[in-house]
Amino acid sequence: MSDEAVNWLDPEGIVWIRTLLRGLAGEGRTILISSHLMTEIAMTADRVLVVGRGRLIADAPLDEFTARGGQCVAVRSARAAELADVVRAAGGVVSPAAGDAECFDVGGLDVRRLGDLALEHLLPVHGLAEQRSSLEDVSSELTDDSVDFHGAAA
């Protein structure tokens, strides 16, 4: 068991501790790390346990855990409005990106399907990027009822 295993370490020390922990886990050992540094956990852990107010809220492999928050695909096209109409007609949910008329987010369709739709309709695509909720986003959502104080929205 380690609490905040990488606090105060320099970058080389962080890599060393990650390598050590992954090596021990590879030997079949169970390593339990407690941390508020979600990025570090995402880079180190294979499985996530979330505890709130003394009870187990979640226990899942990291990929399965972050998939709970959903995912979307960020799309960039010089003909974004036309492509968005095609995506909607195919059952996708389109959300415009703030401040950029060439970009929008899509839920309900994967990257491959979006690329195929653009090709079928001869619409240019300049970017397709899968975006998944972060470990921090999903963890915060799950523990929302288990915390006494909430930070102010940025």
Side-chain angles (χ1 to χ4, degrees):
M1 165 75 175
S2 178
D3 183 26
E4 303 296 353
V6 299
N7 275 7
W8 310 108
L9 293 177
D10 63 6
E12 188 173 318
I14 292 170
V15 170
W16 179 84
I17 198 81
R18 276 188 209 138
T19 303
L20 172 68
L21 295 174
R22 288 209 163 270
L24 291 170
E27 294 173 3
R29 300 172 191 237
T30 298
I31 310 297
L32 184 62
I33 302 171
S34 170
S35 182
H36 69 281
L37 302 173
M38 294 296 128
T39 303
E40 184 58 37
I41 294 299
M43 295 177 72
T44 307
D46 295 323
R47 187 170 195 87
V48 178
L49 300 173
V50 178
V51 177
R53 295 196 189 269
R55 66 180 180 86
L56 183 64
I57 296 172
D59 175 2
L62 183 62
D63 288 343
E64 182 182 309
F65 182 80
T66 55
R68 292 177 184 199
Q71 63 184 48
C72 70
V73 178
V75 179
R76 174 177 289 281
S77 172
R79 293 170 56 189
E82 293 170 75
L83 184 52
D85 289 341
V86 168
V87 168
R88 282 187 200 95
V93 177
V94 175
S95 303
D100 192 340
E102 290 193 355
C103 293
F104 59 93
D105 293 331
V106 176
L109 299 176
D110 65 11
V111 170
R112 176 170 277 159
R113 180 69 177 125
L114 290 168
D116 290 346
L117 283 169
L119 179 62
E120 287 171 26
H121 291 81
L122 301 175
L123 294 168
V125 172
H126 303 112
L128 292 174
E130 290 179 311
Q131 299 179 326
R132 180 178 265 187
S133 295
S134 70
L135 178 59
E136 183 174 343
D137 291 340
V138 177
S139 179
S140 293
E141 184 178 318
L142 286 176
T143 59
D144 190 52
D145 294 338
S146 299
V147 296
D148 292 325
F149 303 99
H150 294 275

Tab-separated table of all heavy atoms in Angstrom, residues 98-126:
chain	number	residue	atom	x	y	z
A	98	ALA	N	-17.230	25.342	-29.497
A	98	ALA	CA	-17.280	26.782	-29.227
A	98	ALA	C	-16.164	27.511	-29.965
A	98	ALA	O	-14.998	27.124	-29.896
A	98	ALA	CB	-17.164	27.030	-27.731
A	99	GLY	N	-16.550	28.528	-30.712
A	99	GLY	CA	-15.573	29.401	-31.339
A	99	GLY	C	-14.891	28.905	-32.591
A	99	GLY	O	-13.957	29.532	-33.062
A	100	ASP	N	-15.298	27.784	-33.142
A	100	ASP	CA	-14.651	27.275	-34.350
A	100	ASP	C	-15.700	26.662	-35.268
A	100	ASP	O	-16.199	25.566	-35.011
A	100	ASP	CB	-13.591	26.240	-33.996
A	100	ASP	CG	-12.679	25.883	-35.162
A	100	ASP	OD1	-13.063	26.127	-36.333
A	100	ASP	OD2	-11.583	25.357	-34.909
A	101	ALA	N	-16.019	27.358	-36.342
A	101	ALA	CA	-17.073	26.923	-37.263
A	101	ALA	C	-16.706	25.653	-38.031
A	101	ALA	O	-17.579	25.001	-38.590
A	101	ALA	CB	-17.394	28.042	-38.250
A	102	GLU	N	-15.423	25.289	-38.048
A	102	GLU	CA	-14.999	24.086	-38.761
A	102	GLU	C	-14.990	22.847	-37.876
A	102	GLU	O	-14.655	21.766	-38.353
A	102	GLU	CB	-13.609	24.291	-39.377
A	102	GLU	CG	-13.596	25.271	-40.526
A	102	GLU	CD	-12.299	25.238	-41.320
A	102	GLU	OE1	-11.354	24.519	-40.916
A	102	GLU	OE2	-12.235	25.924	-42.339
A	103	CYS	N	-15.337	22.987	-36.615
A	103	CYS	CA	-15.266	21.856	-35.681
A	103	CYS	C	-16.599	21.573	-35.012
A	103	CYS	O	-17.396	22.469	-34.776
A	103	CYS	CB	-14.244	22.145	-34.587
A	103	CYS	SG	-12.562	22.212	-35.181
A	104	PHE	N	-16.823	20.291	-34.719
A	104	PHE	CA	-17.976	19.872	-33.934
A	104	PHE	C	-17.662	18.522	-33.306
A	104	PHE	O	-16.754	17.822	-33.733
A	104	PHE	CB	-19.259	19.829	-34.776
A	104	PHE	CG	-19.219	18.915	-35.971
A	104	PHE	CD1	-19.657	17.606	-35.889
A	104	PHE	CD2	-18.766	19.388	-37.197
A	104	PHE	CE1	-19.646	16.766	-36.996
A	104	PHE	CE2	-18.746	18.562	-38.324
A	104	PHE	CZ	-19.192	17.247	-38.209
A	105	ASP	N	-18.400	18.178	-32.267
A	105	ASP	CA	-18.246	16.889	-31.590
A	105	ASP	C	-19.417	16.001	-31.961
A	105	ASP	O	-20.530	16.483	-32.173
A	105	ASP	CB	-18.216	17.069	-30.072
A	105	ASP	CG	-16.983	17.813	-29.609
A	105	ASP	OD1	-15.944	17.727	-30.278
A	105	ASP	OD2	-17.055	18.482	-28.558
A	106	VAL	N	-19.150	14.704	-32.030
A	106	VAL	CA	-20.177	13.737	-32.400
A	106	VAL	C	-20.257	12.636	-31.354
A	106	VAL	O	-19.243	12.053	-30.977
A	106	VAL	CB	-19.876	13.102	-33.776
A	106	VAL	CG1	-20.891	12.016	-34.105
A	106	VAL	CG2	-19.827	14.153	-34.856
A	107	GLY	N	-21.460	12.348	-30.915
A	107	GLY	CA	-21.714	11.207	-30.054
A	107	GLY	C	-22.555	10.200	-30.824
A	107	GLY	O	-23.298	10.565	-31.734
A	108	GLY	N	-22.396	8.938	-30.495
A	108	GLY	CA	-23.239	7.917	-31.107
A	108	GLY	C	-22.670	7.250	-32.349
A	108	GLY	O	-23.231	6.263	-32.819
A	109	LEU	N	-21.589	7.772	-32.894
A	109	LEU	CA	-20.938	7.148	-34.052
A	109	LEU	C	-19.434	7.101	-33.791
A	109	LEU	O	-18.882	8.018	-33.197
A	109	LEU	CB	-21.197	7.953	-35.341
A	109	LEU	CG	-22.650	8.118	-35.788
A	109	LEU	CD1	-22.723	9.019	-37.012
A	109	LEU	CD2	-23.285	6.771	-36.077
A	110	ASP	N	-18.783	6.042	-34.246
A	110	ASP	CA	-17.346	5.950	-34.024
A	110	ASP	C	-16.557	6.585	-35.172
A	110	ASP	O	-17.119	6.990	-36.195
A	110	ASP	CB	-16.913	4.506	-33.776
A	110	ASP	CG	-17.106	3.587	-34.983
A	110	ASP	OD1	-17.378	4.071	-36.096
A	110	ASP	OD2	-16.976	2.364	-34.795
A	111	VAL	N	-15.259	6.684	-34.995
A	111	VAL	CA	-14.373	7.324	-35.968
A	111	VAL	C	-14.488	6.678	-37.340
A	111	VAL	O	-14.571	7.380	-38.358
A	111	VAL	CB	-12.906	7.281	-35.474
A	111	VAL	CG1	-11.954	7.713	-36.557
A	111	VAL	CG2	-12.729	8.144	-34.255
A	112	ARG	N	-14.474	5.368	-37.372
A	112	ARG	CA	-14.542	4.656	-38.664
A	112	ARG	C	-15.822	5.021	-39.415
A	112	ARG	O	-15.787	5.308	-40.610
A	112	ARG	CB	-14.450	3.157	-38.426
A	112	ARG	CG	-14.612	2.360	-39.722
A	112	ARG	CD	-14.273	0.922	-39.514
A	112	ARG	NE	-12.822	0.864	-39.629
A	112	ARG	CZ	-12.066	-0.093	-39.137
A	112	ARG	NH1	-12.602	-1.071	-38.470
A	112	ARG	NH2	-10.771	-0.081	-39.287
A	113	ARG	N	-16.948	5.002	-38.730
A	113	ARG	CA	-18.237	5.328	-39.375
A	113	ARG	C	-18.238	6.775	-39.875
A	113	ARG	O	-18.728	7.057	-40.965
A	113	ARG	CB	-19.388	5.091	-38.392
A	113	ARG	CG	-20.757	5.391	-38.965
A	113	ARG	CD	-21.172	4.377	-40.038
A	113	ARG	NE	-22.508	4.674	-40.503
A	113	ARG	CZ	-22.822	4.876	-41.781
A	113	ARG	NH1	-21.915	4.759	-42.720
A	113	ARG	NH2	-24.058	5.160	-42.102
A	114	LEU	N	-17.687	7.687	-39.073
A	114	LEU	CA	-17.630	9.090	-39.491
A	114	LEU	C	-16.760	9.269	-40.735
A	114	LEU	O	-17.127	9.996	-41.659
A	114	LEU	CB	-17.108	9.963	-38.350
A	114	LEU	CG	-18.068	10.111	-37.180
A	114	LEU	CD1	-17.364	10.730	-35.984
A	114	LEU	CD2	-19.277	10.932	-37.580
A	115	GLY	N	-15.630	8.602	-40.769
A	115	GLY	CA	-14.769	8.668	-41.952
A	115	GLY	C	-15.460	8.117	-43.179
A	115	GLY	O	-15.383	8.691	-44.276
A	116	ASP	N	-16.159	6.996	-43.016
A	116	ASP	CA	-16.894	6.391	-44.134
A	116	ASP	C	-18.000	7.316	-44.638
A	116	ASP	O	-18.194	7.465	-45.848
A	116	ASP	CB	-17.499	5.042	-43.724
A	116	ASP	CG	-16.450	3.961	-43.516
A	116	ASP	OD1	-15.293	4.157	-43.940
A	116	ASP	OD2	-16.804	2.918	-42.915
A	117	LEU	N	-18.718	7.956	-43.715
A	117	LEU	CA	-19.782	8.885	-44.117
A	117	LEU	C	-19.217	10.059	-44.914
A	117	LEU	O	-19.781	10.459	-45.939
A	117	LEU	CB	-20.526	9.416	-42.890
A	117	LEU	CG	-21.523	8.478	-42.240
A	117	LEU	CD1	-21.968	9.044	-40.888
A	117	LEU	CD2	-22.723	8.255	-43.141
A	118	ALA	N	-18.115	10.611	-44.437
A	118	ALA	CA	-17.495	11.734	-45.144
A	118	ALA	C	-17.062	11.316	-46.546
A	118	ALA	O	-17.294	12.043	-47.527
A	118	ALA	CB	-16.293	12.254	-44.354
A	119	LEU	N	-16.485	10.137	-46.672
A	119	LEU	CA	-16.055	9.640	-47.981
A	119	LEU	C	-17.248	9.403	-48.899
A	119	LEU	O	-17.236	9.818	-50.071
A	119	LEU	CB	-15.250	8.345	-47.816
A	119	LEU	CG	-14.743	7.695	-49.103
A	119	LEU	CD1	-13.795	8.634	-49.835
A	119	LEU	CD2	-14.067	6.366	-48.778
A	120	GLU	N	-18.285	8.763	-48.383
A	120	GLU	CA	-19.491	8.498	-49.185
A	120	GLU	C	-20.096	9.777	-49.752
A	120	GLU	O	-20.631	9.787	-50.859
A	120	GLU	CB	-20.557	7.799	-48.331
A	120	GLU	CG	-20.280	6.360	-48.013
A	120	GLU	CD	-21.263	5.801	-46.980
A	120	GLU	OE1	-22.402	6.328	-46.880
A	120	GLU	OE2	-20.885	4.861	-46.263
A	121	HIS	N	-20.010	10.874	-49.004
A	121	HIS	CA	-20.608	12.140	-49.418
A	121	HIS	C	-19.580	13.114	-49.992
A	121	HIS	O	-19.885	14.284	-50.215
A	121	HIS	CB	-21.363	12.772	-48.244
A	121	HIS	CG	-22.578	11.998	-47.884
A	121	HIS	ND1	-22.541	10.860	-47.088
A	121	HIS	CD2	-23.873	12.158	-48.231
A	121	HIS	CE1	-23.766	10.374	-46.946
A	121	HIS	NE2	-24.595	11.141	-47.637
A	122	LEU	N	-18.363	12.618	-50.192
A	122	LEU	CA	-17.264	13.404	-50.768
A	122	LEU	C	-17.035	14.724	-50.019
A	122	LEU	O	-16.822	15.781	-50.614
A	122	LEU	CB	-17.501	13.663	-52.259
A	122	LEU	CG	-17.647	12.405	-53.129
A	122	LEU	CD1	-17.992	12.782	-54.550
A	122	LEU	CD2	-16.394	11.559	-53.067
A	123	LEU	N	-17.081	14.633	-48.694
A	123	LEU	CA	-16.858	15.796	-47.845
A	123	LEU	C	-15.470	15.698	-47.217
A	123	LEU	O	-15.090	14.643	-46.708
A	123	LEU	CB	-17.926	15.884	-46.755
A	123	LEU	CG	-19.342	16.160	-47.260
A	123	LEU	CD1	-20.360	15.937	-46.159
A	123	LEU	CD2	-19.431	17.580	-47.809
A	124	PRO	N	-14.703	16.779	-47.261
A	124	PRO	CA	-13.344	16.734	-46.709
A	124	PRO	C	-13.352	16.638	-45.185
A	124	PRO	O	-14.205	17.229	-44.521
A	124	PRO	CB	-12.746	18.073	-47.156
A	124	PRO	CG	-13.923	18.980	-47.285
A	124	PRO	CD	-15.059	18.107	-47.763
A	125	VAL	N	-12.409	15.877	-44.666
A	125	VAL	CA	-12.211	15.772	-43.222
A	125	VAL	C	-10.754	16.106	-42.946
A	125	VAL	O	-9.858	15.533	-43.549
A	125	VAL	CB	-12.530	14.349	-42.712
A	125	VAL	CG1	-12.142	14.203	-41.257
A	125	VAL	CG2	-13.997	14.035	-42.896
A	126	HIS	N	-10.541	17.046	-42.036
A	126	HIS	CA	-9.185	17.466	-41.696
A	126	HIS	C	-8.775	16.974	-40.317
A	126	HIS	O	-7.649	17.199	-39.898
A	126	HIS	CB	-9.083	18.989	-41.788
A	126	HIS	CG	-9.452	19.491	-43.140
A	126	HIS	ND1	-10.584	20.238	-43.367
A	126	HIS	CD2	-8.892	19.298	-44.348
A	126	HIS	CE1	-10.681	20.509	-44.646
A	126	HIS	NE2	-9.673	19.948	-45.274
